[in-house]
Amino acid sequence: MGSWDQYRDVWQTITNSHDIPPRRSQRDCRIAVTARLVWERDGVELLDTTANAWSGDLVHVTVLDHRSECKGVWVDKSDVRRRPPDER
């Protein structure tokens, strides 16, 4: 098993991510979604993932990708779509 930063050479910023909102404003959820991510170098990707929380107009989605330093990001609700029940 490698170190926690073994992929640091390939990490990219997700340019449409937002700062973490205050915890008191976050509401937990678990919803199957497709999230639109914009990678710093690789561009736009549509990712089937899970929404874990929401806060106002922001949604926290899981990102399990070696290009991301974090396991999730906050994106605008306009970048997230619920997946139909037959795609879950």
Side-chain angles (χ1 to χ4, degrees), residues 16 33-37 45-49 61-62 75 79-81:
N16 64 324
V33 298
T34 299
R36 178 183 169 274
L37 304 178
E45 176 183 11
L46 297 178
L47 177 67
D48 287 342
T49 187
V61 296
T62 300
V75 294
D79 288 322
V80 178
R81 297 284 180 259

Side-chain angles (χ1 to χ4, degrees), residues 30-86:
R30 186 150 179 83
I31 301 168
V33 298
T34 299
R36 178 183 169 274
L37 304 178
V38 183
W39 294 94
E40 176 182 18
R41 292 185 300 277
D42 295 340
V44 175
E45 176 183 11
L46 297 178
L47 177 67
D48 287 342
T49 187
T50 303
N52 302 300
W54 58 272
S55 177
D57 288 340
L58 299 179
V59 180
H60 183 269
V61 296
T62 300
V63 179
L64 301 177
D65 190 298
H66 65 274
R67 294 173 293 175
S68 178
E69 184 177 358
C70 301
K71 301 297 183 206
V73 294
W74 288 91
V75 294
D76 191 87
K77 68 181 182 182
S78 66
D79 288 322
V80 178
R81 297 284 180 259
R82 283 181 185 249
R83 283 188 277 149
D86 59 325

